[in-house]
Amino acid sequence: MENNILLESGTNELEVLEFMVGQQSFGINIAKVSEIMNHQTMIPVPDSPPEFEGVFTPRDKVISVIDLHKVLNKESGDSSHDLLIICNFNQMDVGFHVSSVKGIQRISWEDIEKPPRISGDGIHNIATGIAKLSDRIILILDFEKIVSDINHSAALDATGVNQADSSKADKHIVIAEDSPFLNTLIQNTLADAGYRNMVSFDNGKDAWDYISGHKSMPGNILDHISCLISDIEMPQMDGHHLTKLIKDDNVLCKIPVYLFSSLINEQMRIKGESVGADAQFSKPQIGLLINHINENI
């Protein structure tokens, strides 16, 4: 699938592929989607979770498939008309079994809100945003969490993280990551590496308000904020737009911005560079990110 997501970097817009699971609308960033296929028979994998439907091999590539009907506790109707959304993120290929695909919606991140945290509501625990259209809403799912809950080897890889020296323990690190699951993992991994002074936000706008609020403080801005770790996909303001705002400011531009996203590929790396990102790292390799921080802040 060819897509032209964010033709102009930093516009704070995204294109969402809207699909149905049962009778409810869900969405995924089109930048994650490589292909849409008819559902087909899978090769089952012994002792796998019920949500893991199996594997198949289109064009000699082994792709694992997750049944979103089971993940979301939705009824699957006539599966002969179901579809597979084949995605690439976190440096892996994975398929998601859905009921149908409705189309592509171009949406501003400002129109995407965080879902309410409702105890015991399984859907909202794996939703990162609610996209508001004129006649309906689309739940944006946390696909990284869905995959890592089923395949624990897909979680963040902290292999080879070096301990920061004691002089860096109080370096002030700002984190912008909308997934509660990943936000906590990033903070915990930084803490394990010796960092103690962190603040995190679940959307780019709140991170921008916090960072820009330090602009008038006396002295070098780096004495107040050592670096920003930012996801790309976030409600209210995405990581590309957040980076552009920082790098376009004559004071805040000194702050190193490190993009840490499941979307980092050749195309997205170019977009990140165009808005001034100092470095970009693909999830789940957090070890590379933290070692870079150790060496550079």
Side-chain angles (χ1 to χ4, degrees):
M1 171 180 290
E2 294 291 331
N3 65 74
N4 295 310
I5 175 78
L6 294 175
L7 292 177
E8 296 181 13
S9 301
T11 61
N12 207 35
E13 292 181 309
L14 81 160
E15 287 178 333
V16 170
L17 179 69
E18 182 182 3
F19 60 88
M20 303 293 292
V21 180
Q23 300 300 313
Q24 188 167 359
S25 288
F26 297 92
I28 183 171
N29 190 333
I30 196 67
K32 287 189 170 96
V33 178
S34 55
E35 190 173 2
I36 298 171
M37 306 174 61
N38 291 324
H39 184 263
Q40 54 193 277
T41 302
M42 303 292 154
I43 302 170
V45 176
D47 300 321
S48 59
E51 300 88 354
F52 184 76
E53 193 166 339
V55 299
F56 73 117
T57 55
R59 294 180 292 280
D60 298 324
K61 179 185 291 186
V62 177
I63 296 180
S64 301
V65 174
I66 294 172
D67 188 349
L68 287 184
H69 300 89
K70 293 181 178 177
V71 172
L72 301 169
N73 297 313
K74 298 292 184 182
E75 290 291 331
S76 178
D78 182 2
S79 62
S80 63
H81 295 96
D82 286 358
L83 298 174
L84 295 173
I85 301 175
I86 310 301
C87 301
N88 180 272
F89 57 88
N90 282 355
Q91 301 180 340
M92 63 182 175
D93 296 297
V94 61
F96 294 97
H97 177 183
V98 304
S99 301
S100 62
V101 169
K102 295 192 69 172
I104 297 173
Q105 307 292 340
R106 191 171 183 89
I107 303 171
S108 168
W109 280 110
E110 293 179 355
D111 294 328
I112 298 179
E113 298 180 357
K114 291 294 293 183
R117 295 298 167 190
I118 303 174
S119 177
D121 188 329
I123 291 178
H124 284 77
N125 288 337
I126 55 173
T128 58
I130 297 177
K132 300 177 294 183
L133 303 184
S134 59
D135 59 344
R136 64 190 183 282
I137 62 172
I138 301 173
L139 281 178
I140 310 297
L141 296 177
D142 188 344
F143 287 90
E144 287 87 347
K145 185 176 190 302
I146 291 172
V147 172
S148 63
D149 282 350
I150 296 171
N151 177 13
H152 296 296
S153 65
L156 292 187
D157 179 10
T159 303
V161 173
N162 299 323
Q163 188 78 10
D165 63 66
S166 58
S167 67
K168 295 184 178 180
D170 291 330
K171 292 289 186 180
H172 187 32
I173 298 177
V174 180
I175 301 163
E177 167 62 66
D178 67 321
S179 166
F181 166 71
L182 291 176
N183 198 314
T184 299
L185 281 177
I186 292 170
Q187 292 183 68
N188 289 344
T189 308
L190 285 167
D192 290 342
Y195 293 98
R196 299 289 179 264
N197 188 10
M198 295 171 276
V199 61
S200 71
F201 301 94
D202 62 11
N203 68 81
K205 184 179 184 303
D206 286 350
W208 166 248
D209 290 344
Y210 178 82
I211 291 170
S212 60
H214 288 71
K215 182 177 177 179
S216 59
M217 290 187 174
N220 191 327
I221 187 64
L222 295 179
D223 293 334
H224 306 291
I225 297 177
S226 301
C227 72
L228 165 68
I229 301 171
S230 178
D231 191 12
I232 292 177
E233 301 177 281
M234 293 182 291
Q236 301 298 303
M237 183 184 294
D238 70 16
H240 283 150
H241 190 63
L242 173 60
T243 302
K244 188 174 189 301
L245 288 176
I246 291 171
K247 294 303 180 179
D248 284 349
D249 187 279
N250 60 357
V251 174
L252 302 177
C253 63
K254 296 178 181 179
I255 299 172
V257 177
Y258 305 132
L259 295 178
F260 183 54
S261 170
S262 63
L263 293 178
I264 300 298
N265 55 28
E266 183 178 354
Q267 180 186 18
M268 282 298 190
R269 194 173 295 279
I270 292 171
K271 293 180 184 298
E273 291 172 352
S274 73
V275 293
D278 294 272
Q280 301 176 73
F281 301 89
S282 177
K283 296 171 183 174
Q285 295 176 328
I286 194 172
L288 296 177
L289 166 65
I290 294 191
N291 286 338
H292 185 88
I293 291 173
N294 288 343
E295 295 168 3
N296 288 278
I297 70 168

